[in-house]
Amino acid sequence: MGLDSAQANNKYFTLLVPASGGLFVRDSSKTPTWQDLTPLIPGGETVVAATIVDQGEPPSNDIHISILTADGDVYQTSCVIAGTYTWPTNCRPFVNNTPPVG
């Protein structure tokens, strides 16, 4: 299980990795507030850790989510959080950023 949080554009986001290995984000501006991102995980892998950060410079139009899977793979995506958006279609596909193991 894991938990991380970020604030961007006066919205609060919490990222949850439950014991089941899925991925959920809580968006304080949406109803329902909890959104299931599990279907976006490449290959149906099991998530063991995740982080969430805003893009930096205000206004933050995106948040970035990185995940670590049980297989040791690292993936990253970004999700639009400005204007009108709907989870999970506001997220780009996860990109594999797994470092070479030597």
Side-chain angles (χ1 to χ4, degrees):
M1 291 180 62
L3 187 70
D4 196 11
S5 62
Q7 178 183 354
N9 289 348
N10 295 318
K11 300 173 190 173
Y12 299 92
F13 300 92
T14 303
L15 194 65
L16 172 67
V17 177
S20 64
L23 186 65
F24 293 84
V25 65
R26 184 182 187 280
D27 180 345
S28 64
S29 71
K30 297 292 182 180
T31 302
T33 55
W34 284 101
Q35 306 291 324
D36 187 359
L37 302 184
T38 305
L40 301 180
I41 300 168
E45 293 200 52
T46 300
V47 178
V48 295
T51 62
I52 186 170
V53 297
D54 71 359
Q55 75 177 22
E57 296 296 321
S60 296
N61 295 324
D62 295 336
I63 54 171
H64 300 272
I65 298 172
S66 298
I67 61 172
L68 173 66
T69 69
D71 293 337
D73 295 325
V74 176
Y75 293 92
Q76 186 177 45
T77 188
S78 59
C79 305
V80 175
I81 56 160
T84 303
Y85 61 95
T86 303
W87 294 96
T89 59
N90 62 316
C91 297
R92 293 164 186 87
F94 274 96
V95 174
N96 190 329
N97 287 327
T98 305
V101 178

